[in-house]
Amino acid sequence: MNIKNLPADIHDMKGFLAEDEAEALYRHAQAVSSLGPVLEIGSYCGKSTIYLGLACRDAGATVFALDHHRGSEEHQKGEFFHDPDLYDANDEVFDTFREFRRNIGKAQLNDIVVPVVSDSETAARQWQTELAMVFIDGGHSLDAALTDYRCWMPHLVRGGILAIHDLFEDAHAGGQAPYAVYRMARASGLFEDVERVNSLGVLRRL
Ligand code: MG
């Protein structure tokens, strides 16, 4: 797939996103970008944000990139997915925001991507803007994933896309919270299936 203006070093950027999943995000964001802005929940260092941002550029749409940038449970010091490059030793915190800004700048997406540095519930409290696409890739505890779904799903327009990352049927392959939320969304009667790409599930709001 030929994606215009993709930074040459995109595959070296930190993140947990397969190429086929990235391309699917790009395709769906591009398809609905005329309906309104895209919200990404869990941006980490901005890899998926870049695909969404490039997809929105032609329509002049905005990507709201929501992340508290302190990492999830599994990114904290001593945990399995901890990256020491992203640890701020002075403040003794995990911090992905500096790397995120660097990557978004590198991709020349500062006029498309609006970072929202907050937890999901706080950001949602006064939110009123309808969304063309919601991409859930935040905390993987059941509580975090459910909060993301409940807070943001009501803002999705009819015809809009709900994408959920890290779906694993097999509990040995990964945490089950995103998959539980995906099943809940499918059982709600509010969505139709669009496709599954690797661990990414894509639904359309009816
Ligand atoms: Mg993910």
Side-chain angles (χ1 to χ4, degrees):
M1 187 179 190
N2 184 27
I3 297 178
K4 221 172 37 177
N5 298 323
L6 196 63
D9 64 346
I10 186 83
H11 302 300
D12 300 327
M13 285 182 190
K14 296 176 185 295
F16 310 91
L17 186 72
E19 198 166 341
D20 55 353
E21 298 169 338
E23 291 179 358
L25 286 177
Y26 178 85
R27 275 191 285 110
H28 289 293
Q30 195 173 44
V32 297
S33 57
S34 63
L35 300 178
V38 171
L39 174 76
E40 172 180 68
I41 304 163
S43 297
Y44 197 63
C45 295
K47 193 177 198 173
S48 48
T49 323
I50 288 173
Y51 285 90
L52 295 170
L54 293 173
C56 285
R57 182 177 278 296
D58 287 342
T62 293
V63 178
F64 293 105
L66 172 62
D67 199 311
H68 48 58
H69 286 289
R70 291 298 186 218
S72 302
E73 298 87 339
E74 68 274 19
H75 301 129
Q76 304 308 312
K77 206 174 176 180
E79 299 298 324
F80 189 72
F81 287 103
H82 180 67
D83 181 339
D85 292 351
L86 300 172
Y87 187 72
D88 180 337
N90 281 331
D91 292 344
E92 299 184 341
V93 287
F94 191 74
D95 180 10
T96 53
F97 192 41
R98 180 204 289 256
E99 187 71 14
F100 172 86
R101 295 189 75 177
R102 184 182 293 146
N103 288 336
I104 297 305
K106 211 185 275 178
Q108 301 187 13
L109 287 169
N110 285 324
D111 59 342
I112 301 286
V113 173
V114 176
V116 181
V117 183
S118 167
D119 67 79
S120 195
E121 211 164 2
T122 306
R125 202 180 297 141
Q126 300 278 319
W127 192 271
Q128 297 196 8
T129 302
E130 289 198 321
L131 299 165
M133 178 169 172
V134 173
F135 173 41
I136 298 182
D137 191 23
H140 287 5
S141 68
L142 187 57
D143 191 41
L146 275 175
T147 297
D148 290 339
Y149 178 72
R150 289 188 176 133
C151 283
W152 297 104
M153 191 274 287
H155 298 290
L156 190 59
V157 293
R158 283 174 192 274
I161 292 289
L162 174 66
I164 304 178
H165 195 223
D166 299 313
L167 305 180
F168 301 109
E169 279 78 358
D170 178 359
H172 297 292
Q176 292 295 290
Y179 190 51
V181 169
Y182 176 69
R183 277 181 303 167
M184 181 188 289
R186 289 178 83 201
S188 70
L190 297 170
F191 296 93
E192 64 176 359
D193 271 317
V194 178
E195 65 173 339
R196 258 305 281 280
V197 177
N198 209 334
S199 80
L200 183 76
V202 182
L203 305 172
R204 182 177 287 109
R205 177 79 163 90
L206 295 168

